[in-house]
Amino acid sequence: MHRLGLALSGGGFRATLYHLGVVRFLRDAEILPKVTHMTTVSGGSILGAHLALNWERYCGSEEEFDAAAQEVVRFVQLDVRNRIVRRFPLASSFNTLRRLFRLGSDRQLTRPGLLEKHYQQFLYGETSLFQLPEQPQLHMLATNLSEGRLCSFNREGLLRQRRTPGRRDRFERVRLGLATVPMAVAASSAFPGFFPPLELRSWDVGADEGEFSRQAFTDGGVFDNLGLRMFRFIEQSGVRDTAPLKARDFLELEAALAALTSADSLPDDAPLRQLHNMLVSTQSNGTPSAEASLLQHPPDELIAGLWEVIRSEELFRHPSFENMELSDPSAQSLLTYLSASEREPELSDRLWLNRHIVEAALRQVIGKPCLRTARGGFDGVLVSDAGAPFKVTADDRAPGLIRTSMRASDILMNRVWQLEVDAFEKSPGILFLPMTDVVSPSQDRHAPHPEIQRQVSRIRTDLDRFSDLEISTLVQHGYCIARKACRSKAAFFGTSMPGGPPWDPLRNGEPATSAAPNVAADLSEETQALVTARALRKSSLRRIWSTLFSRDDWPTFVWVPLLAVVMLFVPYVLYRLNEKAQQQSMVLTAIAETSPMYREILGLLEDGPPPSLGPAPFEEAETLEPPDFTGFEVISDTRVFDLRGWSDPNENTPPAFVHSRVRIRRTAGGGDDGHIRFHAMSHDEEFSFFCRTKSLDPVLRRKAEPDGRYTWEFDVDLSHIPIGGDTVLVIEGHPLPEAAEAVADEGRFQFSIPLDTGMAQIWMLMPENREYEYFEISGYEIGNPEQAEIIVPDKKVELPLGAIATFQLINPKANHRYECRWKWLDAGEEG
């Protein structure tokens, strides 16, 4: 056994601790020093980087291992996630200030940057990638969000996946002279449920800008949570070595040579028979009698002949090999692609694929793998899998946007994990160490109780503080799972395995915290199993609010007083606002009670204008008497024009609404009938104008004019009003369309004063969501618009945000029309 691979899967601190138990067993079983390559993902990268940087300590004495492991244990007890949560608001504020002063954002003031800083401060220091050891060769896997592919940070820099024809994975190398181990681990463990991607620029990593633009990296588990795919690249890269085939490349040399030499008894279309014939051709140099003497050739000559077949033949073009089942999915995809196309593969691809074809032909006859498919192949790959069973939620309500996104992420990552397991679980030489496995007492009497093991696999995947019980059970479970798996491969690992109680970092080394009474003395004891399993059941829940603050972390002393102030101040502010609102409500109610017009304005502001009133009933008239206001005096004319729904009368927008209250006094010298009549001209065939004072017997008449317009007469009866008496005429409706218009960037609104009035008070509820300026009033005698003059009202008020404009005219002139104009501030944007 000269090459052994170790894959450490993702899964937060749960994975880190589980892998620590696995690594301890491999050290105790003297297997760890034989590991030559490691691939790590997320939580596995946290331990994997520390393991590679402290390789001699982990492979050394028990005291050295314990001291190195305690550094990792103290880190998982640091409560990294909440430390980042406490610091991020302050860091984000500094980043905002940097952007305001055009200094650019500081990566280490982001959430993934703070994670990188914690790795640097508490685990790895300012260690560059090129300081990683040559052996074991470490690959820390991350997902490149910018390009949607798998990446590996390693001693040589960065390996980026490339997809080639035939669906074979290739990796291209980018030198990263300034990249650090904390940076790589942060990229590998930036779980998308909490951390945004880690953004790196060529300036940050010391790469050529042409090779490395701004790239975003997230958790490697998004692409491959096991880390197995990188081993395929390591194996395939060894095929580029074109050295001849050697005896050590065979797992079963004697069986392979025996099958080759006796393949002449197989059917002519059998793959191994075809290999036999090709081998005979290379050995005979065209001599017909050579087939009979093939058995006489020594093994070295047969191996050399088989290498010549692999080197020179295009086995993937031969009909006998087209439908073969290869053990490697990538090789199978390449064979299918080349069989259906005329594309010529590169030399390395041809050698690699031919070796897979030869291996499959031998395996088809012998019944087991007997040839390594690559010169760089491994004797075995141990896969420490800390993946948990997928959780089925029982909530019958549909989740919100954030929970849906996180749930979808969980489902996708679980599907990726399943596909990776399905693709590699039958590959020879791969030994899975799944966290979900349970070691029975009959298999290992020192293993934790089976119910404890089942609860351990459900512990949360997070980067918060792990308790002593969680640490102890995770490490011991990993230790026992590794022991069980290696015992099942006694022919490979040997029969001499450590058989004592599993290693516990809290009892065998220097305790990271004070002795914890909740850690059972022996997790295999049945009397303690129920209590321990119940405690671990709670560990599956993500802790947020209960661990948000810590008196051991200085930002707590910033946020707790601030939060206390906010908690006291906000209720006080709300109380004062509510008190003020009640007072304002009382004042408004009192004001409304003093004037019907104020009450009407408040009602419009609260309830909005009434719906479309529809046309008013009218009488057709052949002739209309000229208006005569003798015997009547208008004391006041107060109107509210609600223009909030109107912005352009040429568009299909709600019509304006008017509420008018006219106080009329009957004087001596009037006509005998006591009627007062108002006239208006319009092109409209209908008129929406209603008198709410029914006691005045209002009548609406219409007379058609020769020019196509209509004269509308509004007649009310004041004959029952005594001389010197007053009455209020209340009118509501929609103004004539001619009253409002939009010209370029201006809004215009007109109204008329039919007879002398003591005072006219106008209120205008302006169009909503549109600000204006330069509000002015002009007036002219009806029929003479060219003589319009600017009118300065006695009072003019424009309330904030342009919502209400009101003005007052004293003694406005009779038979005059007044026009309000303003300029829209958003007219340029609309244009």
Side-chain angles (χ1 to χ4, degrees), residues 98-343:
R98 288 179 60 89
R99 286 191 291 268
L100 289 175
F101 288 100
R102 301 183 180 275
L103 298 176
S105 298
D106 185 346
R107 188 185 73 255
Q108 291 203 336
L109 296 179
T110 63
R111 274 175 288 169
L114 290 170
L115 179 63
E116 175 189 342
K117 190 173 182 180
H118 276 73
Y119 289 144
Q120 174 186 330
Q121 182 177 355
F122 296 101
L123 270 186
Y124 314 118
E126 188 69 11
T127 307
S128 63
L129 287 180
F130 57 73
Q131 291 178 270
L132 288 168
E134 294 184 4
Q135 186 168 329
Q137 188 181 114
L138 175 63
H139 291 269
M140 293 171 284
L141 306 185
T143 302
N144 188 322
L145 279 183
S146 303
E147 301 175 354
R149 56 190 181 183
L150 184 65
C151 293
S152 166
F153 291 89
N154 56 82
R155 175 183 168 84
E156 303 299 326
L158 179 71
L159 289 175
R160 296 192 298 193
Q161 182 189 38
R162 293 290 189 195
R163 184 71 69 184
T164 62
R167 297 177 62 192
R168 183 182 175 190
D169 293 334
R170 283 189 179 280
F171 286 82
E172 64 178 17
R173 190 178 304 278
V174 180
R175 297 286 179 181
L176 306 180
L178 301 182
T180 65
V181 172
M183 183 188 298
V185 178
S188 178
S189 58
F191 177 67
F194 179 77
F195 294 101
L198 177 68
E199 293 190 0
L200 299 177
R201 304 166 298 172
S202 58
W203 177 267
D204 300 319
V205 297
D208 185 5
E209 290 188 4
E211 287 186 305
F212 192 96
S213 58
R214 182 187 291 267
Q215 302 286 310
F217 297 92
T218 190
D219 196 302
V222 172
F223 199 100
D224 175 13
N225 198 46
L226 292 177
L228 269 173
R229 195 161 295 275
M230 184 55 61
F231 279 108
R232 286 299 184 229
F233 164 71
I234 298 171
E235 289 181 339
Q236 293 169 16
S237 63
V239 180
R240 297 182 183 275
D241 182 3
T242 57
L245 200 64
K246 301 294 183 182
R248 66 172 179 267
D249 295 320
F250 288 86
L251 300 173
E252 302 286 345
L253 178 60
E254 294 182 2
L257 295 180
L260 274 171
T261 55
S262 61
D264 57 339
S265 62
L266 297 174
D268 291 339
D269 59 348
L272 194 61
R273 174 63 182 272
Q274 293 299 323
L275 279 179
H276 174 89
N277 295 341
M278 295 176 185
L279 183 59
V280 167
S281 177
T282 62
Q283 297 291 324
S284 65
N285 294 322
T287 304
S289 61
E291 184 173 350
S293 62
L294 189 61
L295 292 171
Q296 308 302 322
H297 287 269
D300 289 346
E301 291 186 10
L302 292 176
I303 294 172
L306 187 59
W307 168 247
E308 182 62 24
V309 171
I310 292 174
R311 187 187 66 82
S312 59
E313 297 289 338
E314 293 185 341
L315 301 181
F316 47 85
R317 302 282 189 211
H318 200 286
S320 298
F321 303 109
E322 288 182 352
N323 298 320
M324 296 197 65
E325 293 185 5
L326 307 184
S327 59
D328 187 281
S330 297
Q332 186 71 59
S333 298
L334 185 59
L335 174 61
T336 302
Y337 172 77
L338 294 175
S339 299
S341 69
E342 299 298 325
R343 187 183 181 91

